[in-house]
Amino acid sequence: MSFRGFQKSVVRAPQQFKAKFNIGEHSKDPVFIDAERRFQELEVETKRLHDESKKYFDAINGMLNHQIEFSHAMTEIYKPITGRMSDPDALTIDSNPEGIRACEEYEAVVKDLQESLKPELEMIDARVIRPANELLDVLKVIRKTATKREHKKLDFDRRNATLKKLQEKKEKSAKDEKALWKAESDLEQATQEFNYFNDLLKDELPKLFKLEREFIQPLFQSFYYMQLNIFYTLHEKMQHCDIGYFNLTLDVEEAFLAKRADIQEQTELLTIVRFKTSGQKRPPPKHGQKPAAIEAGPKPAGLLTAGSPSTPTFASTKFGQQSQSDGAENPPPPYSASTVPLKSPVSPSLKPSSPGLAALAAGKPKPPPPKPKPSRLSGAPAAETVTALYDYSAQAEGDLSFRAGDIIEIVSRTQNENEWWTGKCHGKQGQFPGECLLK
């Protein structure tokens, strides 16, 4: 937008606001209003005609291209998986040559069909899509004229309101007379410009509607016959498609079951397909284990009466099991007065030499006895339990079924969470994948 156009937009903004909310007087032409409504419908339907024709053109081409890519994918699946990319004999066909040959024949049929349909598709582009696109370009030019007519109507209403305001003023000064003369001149010019565009569109739009009907009728007829040609060609080519690999005399489902044989049963016997859950999100993998020193926590300070410093401490294992040492089986004896006193690490030169110091040392109160060991450390280890993260249904005899949130008692397990564990839940014992659990 130029600077002059921006200035005009700013001047027209108040009148445009009044017209939007129906404030004040506004010019209305019923004939043009009806013609503009029909013109808007023509714009929408022409755009739809162009878009849908283009989609049909792309759909036919895409269908044929997808069929060719499908045959390529099936050919690659039929080829053996050798893993020897550097071996020139790695691509030797030794698994299903009949299936690969059928894919190649099917690809040849589709390519021939693509070449047969190419002239019809080009005709759709030339006789439907391009004319619709040209009609859209014409409608864009007409829409610009209608927009300019709307701007001239705003100018006309604005000039008319200014003139009426000055005419209704009772006492007019010389300045008001000059403004009145100028308003009359501006209104006359605005009236001429508005009438020009308004009359032009009222006269030309009905002619456009008549030409539009004459334009649409042959276009629709051409599109109809071109679709019939495409469908007929597809039917003829696929009807005479004779690939010996397929038995077309059988029912579709019956032929599928005959080709499949017992492949599904053999696949279900594989171990890797037994890891089935309810389809929910799996827990994130754990990156390594925590060091034992971190899991055990800080060591408690030892007492002088608790025995030698080599007494082992106790730390819970990762899964709640209690590790016990020989010190737990043979706790230290309780403190008594007959216990042999510990030798002080003080050097001989610092030993008390006077009786007063000896008596003071003898009168010092004895240290309190050590606290008893917790009962959970001296008893049997507690059973390990885990919580199920997901639902799991038994896939074979001996598996354990459970739902998300159930508490499972571990009977035996491994350090690898991707292996099978043994546990109890709801009074039943069985195996289950360890990755379904939350410790």
Side-chain angles (χ1 to χ4, degrees):
M1 180 185 292
S2 63
F3 181 71
R4 185 178 179 183
F6 175 75
Q7 286 180 328
K8 290 183 178 180
S9 299
V10 173
V11 173
R12 294 172 181 147
Q15 185 63 33
Q16 191 172 8
F17 177 81
K18 294 179 181 179
K20 183 176 182 181
F21 294 97
N22 198 19
I23 301 174
E25 296 182 1
H26 307 285
S27 302
K28 293 183 180 180
D29 191 339
V31 177
F32 176 79
I33 292 175
D34 182 67
E36 186 183 23
R37 179 185 54 80
R38 294 180 59 187
F39 178 72
Q40 289 178 351
E41 295 176 356
L42 176 61
E43 283 182 308
V44 173
E45 297 305 325
T46 304
K47 183 69 168 60
R48 182 180 299 177
L49 172 65
H50 173 270
D51 294 343
E52 297 302 327
S53 303
K54 187 70 167 60
K55 289 178 182 178
Y56 180 81
F57 176 84
D58 295 337
I60 298 296
N61 282 322
M63 178 186 68
L64 299 176
N65 292 330
H66 290 323
Q67 287 177 302
I68 295 175
E69 294 299 326
F70 172 80
S71 63
H72 289 168
M74 294 300 299
T75 303
E76 293 299 325
I77 292 176
Y78 279 140
K79 287 182 180 179
I81 303 175
T82 62
R84 303 191 304 271
M85 298 302 295
S86 59
D87 188 353
D89 297 331
L91 299 180
T92 302
I93 302 175
D94 57 2
S95 59
N96 193 349
E98 294 84 4
I100 296 177
R101 191 178 305 111
C103 291
E104 293 175 350
E105 293 178 7
Y106 178 74
E107 181 181 352
V109 170
V110 175
K111 286 185 177 180
D112 181 56
L113 181 61
Q114 197 174 33
E115 290 296 325
S116 301
L117 292 178
K118 188 175 180 180
E120 298 293 337
L121 294 175
E122 291 179 351
M123 194 176 299
I124 291 179
D125 181 64
R127 295 187 180 181
V128 179
I129 299 177
R130 291 180 186 174
N133 194 24
E134 293 174 357
L135 179 57
L136 283 176
D137 294 338
V138 173
L139 296 180
K140 289 179 181 178
V141 177
I142 299 175
R143 172 53 62 186
K144 289 182 179 180
T145 304
T147 303
K148 185 171 291 188
R149 181 257 181 201
E150 183 65 23
H151 291 167
K152 298 305 179 182
K153 185 179 79 70
L154 291 175
D155 293 339
F156 171 77
D157 292 339
R158 181 168 57 88
R159 303 294 186 186
N160 192 24
T162 303
L163 179 61
K164 285 186 177 182
K165 185 178 179 181
L166 292 174
Q167 288 176 347
E168 292 175 356
K169 196 172 183 181
K170 295 180 180 181
E171 298 181 359
K172 300 181 181 64
S173 61
K175 185 177 181 180
D176 294 335
E177 292 293 342
K178 183 178 180 180
L180 181 61
W181 177 81
K182 185 177 183 304
E184 291 175 350
S185 177
D186 293 340
L187 177 61
E188 183 180 357
Q189 182 180 0
T191 302
Q192 293 177 357
E193 293 177 353
F194 170 66
N195 289 335
Y196 170 77
F197 288 102
N198 188 59
D199 295 339
L200 175 66
L201 291 172
K202 287 196 299 182
D203 293 340
E204 299 292 337
L205 284 179
K207 299 178 181 178
L208 175 68
F209 299 148
K210 182 180 178 180
L211 295 174
E212 175 257 340
R213 288 193 297 269
E214 297 176 358
F215 169 80
I216 291 295
Q217 183 176 357
L219 186 145
F220 175 68
Q221 186 175 358
S222 299
F223 188 61
Y224 174 76
Y225 283 115
M226 283 183 283
Q227 286 191 56
L228 289 181
N229 291 336
I230 291 175
F231 296 149
Y232 178 77
T233 305
L234 285 171
H235 180 266
E236 286 295 318
K237 292 289 183 180
M238 300 307 294
Q239 187 71 18
H240 296 87
C241 178
D242 186 13
I243 300 177
Y245 187 72
F246 307 106
N247 188 359
L248 301 180
T249 60
L250 299 176
D251 181 68
V252 175
E253 185 176 0
E254 183 181 353
F256 169 75
L257 295 176
K259 287 288 184 181
R260 187 182 66 176
D262 61 340
I263 297 300
Q264 183 176 359
E265 289 75 10
Q266 296 181 25
T267 305
E268 291 177 351
L269 294 177
L270 298 177
T271 307
I272 57 176
V273 303
R274 296 182 61 191
F275 286 92
K276 296 181 180 179
T277 61
S278 60
Q280 301 180 13
K281 185 178 180 182
R282 296 194 173 195
K286 298 183 177 296
H287 303 284
Q289 306 290 341
K290 292 183 179 180
I294 297 178
E295 294 184 349
K299 296 181 179 180
L303 299 175
L304 293 176
T305 57
S308 62
S310 63
T311 302
T313 60
F314 304 96
S316 60
T317 62
K318 181 179 179 182
F319 296 95
Q321 295 179 344
Q322 307 296 335
S323 59
Q324 298 181 352
S325 61
D326 297 339
E329 298 176 358
N330 300 318
Y335 177 80
S336 63
S338 61
T339 303
V340 179
L342 297 175
K343 293 183 180 182
S344 174
V346 182
S347 59
S349 59
L350 298 178
K351 291 181 179 180
S353 57
S354 61
L357 294 177
L360 182 61
K364 187 176 181 180
K366 300 297 188 293
K371 296 181 179 180
K373 297 290 181 180
S375 59
R376 65 181 181 88
L377 297 179
S378 58
E384 178 186 0
T385 60
V386 291
T387 304
L389 284 177
Y390 312 107
D391 297 347
Y392 177 75
S393 301
Q395 305 297 322
E397 185 178 359
D399 291 356
L400 180 64
S401 299
F402 49 82
R403 300 186 66 83
D406 288 350
I407 304 300
I408 304 174
E409 181 181 345
I410 300 299
V411 177
S412 64
R413 50 155 292 175
T414 63
Q415 296 299 328
N416 189 355
E417 297 178 355
N418 295 323
E419 296 180 355
W420 290 82
W421 296 0
T422 304
K424 294 181 180 179
C425 183
H426 302 301
K428 295 184 181 180
Q429 180 172 328
Q431 294 182 344
F432 57 91
E435 62 183 4
C436 299
L437 306 176
L438 175 65
K439 286 73 179 184

